[in-house]
Amino acid sequence: AQTVTQSQPEMSVQEAETVTLSCTYDTSESDYYLFWYKQPPSRQMILVIRQEAYKQQNATENRFSVNFQKAAKSFSLKISDSQLGDAAMYFCATEGGGSNYKLTFGKGTLLTVNP
Amino acid sequence: NAGVTQTPKFQVLKTGQSMTLQCAQDMNHNSMYWYRQDPGMGLRLIYYSASEGTTDKGEVPNGYNVSRLNKREFSLRLESAAPSQTSVYFCASSEPVMPYEQYFGPGTRLTVT
């Protein structure tokens, strides 16, 4: 079974600065996907970024990028030039690979952005 | 294109009452899921349906039943609600092929008193 650990229940960042959210996971598969979802106060779950474990290159989406370390089973999210609208709960999730298409989520990190 | 819709958005039940949460998706996805979200626990899978006509238990299925009515609709039923089922419930859908990205509904906040 997959497990996902987010060791930072809460983080804060100043507007325009950079913050990194940590995530570690455990899986026995060799190819799988990893995701970061954002949940703002509206409660809607929004996909921020995804990474295929087969690919060495770290995924980037505008101000969001990941640092994927496959051997260490680490998948951190970096938010650059933080904006007030980035304030949200962030969830790391993994899909187990193979025929397992279910997602396993971490417990989340609550990000506060200070003006 | 509404994506994934859920009804109701809010509900208050008394212990022992029953209710059904409705979910529909218009993306022609084969797979659908029900999660619950509790403070400090992340999202936990209750039941899922890999394709029309199939359903399987997730991590926390006790106290719930599901029905995959057709390809679009996947309902979650609480037969006898308990205070421990107070939670926010999310429905999601996806294609059962990589990258397995799931699309979520807006959630239902359920309170059982």
Side-chain angles (χ1 to χ4, degrees), chain A residues 35 37 39 44 50 95 101, chain B residues 37 50 99-102 104 107:
Chain A
F35 304 88
Y37 279 88
Q39 186 182 44
Q44 181 69 50
R50 65 169 174 256
E95 167 277 323
Y101 42 81
Chain B
Q37 182 181 16
Y100 305 119
E101 177 181 337
Q102 292 188 14
F104 286 82

Side-chain angles (χ1 to χ4, degrees), chain B residues 46-72:
Chain B
I46 304 171
Y47 270 93
Y48 66 100
S49 171
S51 61
E52 187 178 356
T54 69
T55 60
D56 285 286
K57 295 178 180 178
E59 182 184 352
V60 288
N62 291 344
Y64 305 96
N65 286 300
V66 291
S67 295
R68 184 72 184 268
L69 304 170
N70 48 54
K71 190 172 185 178
R72 289 188 64 248

Side-chain angles (χ1 to χ4, degrees), chain B residues 89-105:
Chain B
Y89 291 85
F90 286 95
C91 177
S93 70
S94 75
E95 278 300 299
V97 293
M98 288 189 169
Y100 305 119
E101 177 181 337
Q102 292 188 14
Y103 296 81
F104 286 82

Side-chain angles (χ1 to χ4, degrees), chain A residues 31-33 35 37 39 42-45 47 50 52 91 95 97-103 105-108, chain B residues 9-10 31 33 35 37 40-43 45 48 50 88 90 96 98-102 104-109:
Chain A
D31 195 18
Y32 47 89
Y33 274 84
F35 304 88
Y37 279 88
Q39 186 182 44
S42 68
R43 208 167 64 197
Q44 181 69 50
M45 293 286 287
L47 179 68
R50 65 169 174 256
E52 184 178 5
F91 293 98
E95 167 277 323
S99 61
N100 181 352
Y101 42 81
K102 297 177 287 184
L103 295 185
F105 287 84
K107 295 183 178 182
Chain B
K9 286 188 168 49
F10 300 93
S31 301
Y33 312 82
Y35 294 91
Q37 182 181 16
M41 297 297 292
L43 276 77
L45 184 64
Y48 66 100
V88 178
F90 286 95
M98 288 189 169
Y100 305 119
E101 177 181 337
Q102 292 188 14
F104 286 82
T108 295
R109 181 175 292 279

Side-chain angles (χ1 to χ4, degrees), chain A residues 52-110:
Chain A
E52 184 178 5
Y54 185 76
K55 295 183 178 177
Q56 298 285 347
Q57 187 173 3
N58 289 325
T60 299
E61 289 286 343
N62 300 315
R63 298 182 295 106
F64 298 86
S65 61
V66 300
N67 183 2
F68 173 51
Q69 304 287 332
K70 189 173 184 179
K73 296 183 178 175
S74 171
F75 181 60
S76 60
L77 175 70
K78 185 171 83 170
I79 307 173
S80 303
D81 186 25
S82 297
Q83 301 176 358
L84 295 177
D86 295 333
M89 182 72 84
Y90 286 82
F91 293 98
C92 177
T94 180
E95 167 277 323
S99 61
N100 181 352
Y101 42 81
K102 297 177 287 184
L103 295 185
T104 300
F105 287 84
K107 295 183 178 182
T109 297
L110 180 62

Side-chain angles (χ1 to χ4, degrees), chain B residues 11 13-21 77-81:
Chain B
Q11 184 71 48
L13 290 179
K14 294 185 176 170
T15 297
Q17 288 185 320
S18 62
M19 79 160 296
T20 300
L21 306 183
R77 183 160 178 84
L78 287 70
E79 291 290 353
S80 178

